[in-house]
Amino acid sequence: VAMAPSVRLRAADGGVFEVNIEAARLSPVLAGLFESDPDCRGRGAEASFEDEVPLPLVRSPELARLLHLCVRRAADGAWDLRALGSDIAQVERLAWSADFLGIDRLFGLCLAKVVALAANRPPSEVAA
């Protein structure tokens, strides 16, 4: 069985995650890297991005969640809004990670989720 093309991403705290290139291409930042590498232009199932890609502003917990969302989006054709979470701080960190990777739609969905979560809480719980 041929493996799907993949890329390894290194989070700011050192965690390394492997994800298929189709899901990673949802990030224009990562897609730009792949376009400059001839092995990632779709030359068959064996193609992969050989280098680890450092993401200095994304921590492992957010990267794991972001990649899960991207894999689901690539497979299902829609963002899994339930997987955004219900903790304001976590969703906000996910939003900034999506912004760093240029995933504008996910960034916007995260911000909308933060607003919806904050609207149901007293100001003393929202202020950080």
Side-chain angles (χ1 to χ4, degrees), residues 51-112:
D51 297 324
E52 236 173 50
V53 179
L55 301 174
L57 298 180
V58 181
R59 294 177 333 124
S60 290
E62 289 74 40
L63 184 56
R65 290 182 61 224
L66 188 137
L67 293 177
H68 170 77
L69 287 162
C70 287
V71 168
R72 295 283 304 266
R73 169 67 174 85
D76 301 341
W79 292 106
D80 181 5
L81 300 180
R82 292 170 295 158
L84 293 179
S86 60
D87 178 81
I88 291 176
Q90 287 180 350
V91 177
E92 184 179 357
R93 287 191 301 270
L94 182 63
W96 295 127
S97 298
D99 183 50
F100 178 75
L101 289 169
I103 309 172
D104 293 340
R105 179 69 178 142
L106 182 56
F107 176 65
L109 291 170
C110 288
L111 292 182

Side-chain angles (χ1 to χ4, degrees), residues 5-69:
S6 63
V7 61
R8 289 180 312 280
L9 306 173
R10 179 176 292 279
D13 54 6
V16 177
F17 299 85
E18 190 162 338
V19 66
N20 68 61
I21 288 180
E22 181 182 353
R25 282 187 195 277
L26 291 170
S27 163
V29 172
L30 296 175
L33 291 174
F34 306 146
E35 292 306 315
S36 66
D37 187 305
D39 287 336
C40 290
R41 291 190 191 141
R43 283 204 282 152
E46 298 302 317
S48 65
F49 192 76
E50 295 300 323
D51 297 324
E52 236 173 50
V53 179
L55 301 174
L57 298 180
V58 181
R59 294 177 333 124
S60 290
E62 289 74 40
L63 184 56
R65 290 182 61 224
L66 188 137
L67 293 177
H68 170 77
L69 287 162

